[in-house]
Amino acid sequence: MYSYNFRSLCTDLLEEGRNRLSLTMGIVSHIEKEDYEIVAVSSNAGVFVAGESFALKDTYCRDVYKQKKTIAITEIDGHPGLQHHPLYMALALEAYIGSPIFVDGQVWGTLNFSCMQIRDKPFTDEEIQFNENATKIISRAIIDKI
């Protein structure tokens, strides 16, 4: 369904993001209704693979999708209630940054990075801007059908 060029672009952005953010995992997802599909993944944890699908409610990206904005958290365990999130209970990802990918004014999916380690410093404005700029590149690629 996704072209080699699109997957390659996503992988390049994911690897660059992981390096910039010092996080172990990056994912490009496509969200349709309540379904979350992994389109591309870059990880040294080997936890997720492209093509896997999950219920949106079981992902950290559900809030990015619903709020239509970037969410950046350095310690999930430090946020009341998030310790009971279905994903945290299954896989204790601590640091997370996710941004919506917009296509035709609607959230098409997310670009997100995470790690099982607590991040000892907040995400900087430049790191958040990188993530949001990368979503615009992905959005343009979707619109241009690369």
Side-chain angles (χ1 to χ4, degrees):
M1 178 169 153
Y2 302 103
S3 73
Y4 171 80
N5 289 340
F6 181 71
R7 288 191 310 261
S8 180
L9 170 72
C10 291
T11 299
D12 289 348
L13 289 170
L14 290 170
E15 289 174 4
E16 181 179 352
R18 283 184 51 215
N19 289 332
R20 282 182 182 233
L21 301 169
S22 299
L23 297 176
T24 58
M25 185 172 4
I27 293 174
V28 172
S29 74
H30 179 225
I31 299 169
E32 197 165 329
K33 297 182 181 168
E34 292 298 315
D35 295 320
Y36 173 98
E37 176 193 0
I38 296 175
V39 173
V41 63
S42 174
S43 172
N44 63 7
V47 179
F48 301 111
V49 296
E52 280 186 292
S53 293
F54 302 93
L56 178 60
K57 68 179 177 61
D58 293 339
T59 71
Y60 291 160
C61 292
R62 72 179 181 194
D63 294 329
V64 172
Y65 179 77
K66 289 180 181 177
Q67 296 178 30
K68 299 180 181 181
K69 67 177 189 175
T70 297
I71 294 177
I73 302 171
T74 57
E75 181 184 357
I76 298 290
D77 193 39
H79 285 267
L82 285 181
Q83 306 92 334
H84 304 292
H85 188 286
L87 180 57
Y88 189 80
M89 294 177 73
L91 179 68
L93 295 174
E94 286 289 351
Y96 170 86
I97 181 171
S99 299
I101 300 167
F102 288 99
V103 174
D104 297 328
Q106 300 298 315
V107 178
W108 179 90
T110 62
L111 170 64
N112 63 88
F113 296 91
S114 58
C115 183
M116 292 163 95
Q117 304 299 316
I118 294 170
R119 186 175 156 109
D120 59 359
K121 60 184 179 184
F123 289 97
T124 66
D125 290 341
E126 291 79 19
E127 290 170 329
I128 292 169
Q129 192 63 53
F130 164 81
N131 213 55
E132 292 175 349
N133 287 341
T135 66
K136 292 173 185 167
I137 294 168
I138 295 168
S139 177
R140 176 58 49 203
I142 294 166
I143 292 166
D144 293 344
K145 301 185 185 332
I146 72 156

